[in-house]
């Protein structure tokens, strides 16, 4: 995720432990978002369940998640990135 322009990424925890068809899932997500909002995310990242950073009250730490993705510190199961 670059600071030079507005971009957005999707980071999704994968609950289904045996899911292996990440490419198909990312394609479905891309199609759904594009049809609904006419935009395309820069990145789709699938990570292990319970690995998103959260506050003590359970809220998602969005800034920290963005930072970890940008720095390559998330444990990725799969990552799609716009060319």
């Amino acid at each position: 995720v670059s600071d030079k322009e507005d971009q957005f990424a999707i980071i999704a925890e994968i609950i289904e432990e045996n899911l292996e068809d990440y490419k198909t899932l990312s394609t479905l997500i891309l199609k759904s978002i594009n049809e609904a909002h006419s935009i395309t995310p820069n990145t789709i990242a699938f990570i292990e369940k319970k690995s998103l950073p959260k506050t003590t009250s359970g809220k998602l730490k969005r800034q920290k998640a963005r930072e970890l993705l940008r720095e390559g510190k998330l444990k990725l199961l799969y990552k799609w990135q716009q060319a």
Side-chain angles (χ1 to χ4, degrees), residues 22-34 44:
Y22 301 115
K23 186 175 183 177
T24 299
L25 183 56
S26 61
T27 300
L28 291 170
I29 291 170
L30 288 166
K31 183 179 177 188
S32 296
I33 291 173
N34 195 289
I44 297 175

Side-chain angles (χ1 to χ4, degrees), residues 9-42:
I10 296 170
I11 304 172
E13 291 182 336
I14 299 297
I15 297 170
E16 178 62 46
E17 294 179 16
N18 297 323
L19 179 66
E20 294 181 9
D21 197 2
Y22 301 115
K23 186 175 183 177
T24 299
L25 183 56
S26 61
T27 300
L28 291 170
I29 291 170
L30 288 166
K31 183 179 177 188
S32 296
I33 291 173
N34 195 289
E35 286 176 0
H37 304 286
S38 299
I39 55 175
T40 302
N42 183 59

Side-chain angles (χ1 to χ4, degrees), residues 46-65:
F46 298 125
I47 61 174
E48 294 177 3
K49 64 181 174 180
K50 298 184 181 181
S51 60
L52 278 170
K54 295 184 180 171
T55 65
T56 55
S57 64
K59 294 180 184 177
L60 177 63
K61 290 183 175 181
R62 289 181 179 87
Q63 193 72 5
K64 183 66 175 177

Side-chain angles (χ1 to χ4, degrees), residues 69-83:
L69 179 63
R70 186 178 295 143
E71 295 172 358
K73 294 182 179 178
L74 287 174
K75 294 180 184 178
L76 298 174
L77 298 172
Y78 179 85
K79 181 179 177 183
W80 174 89
Q81 193 142 8
Q82 190 175 36

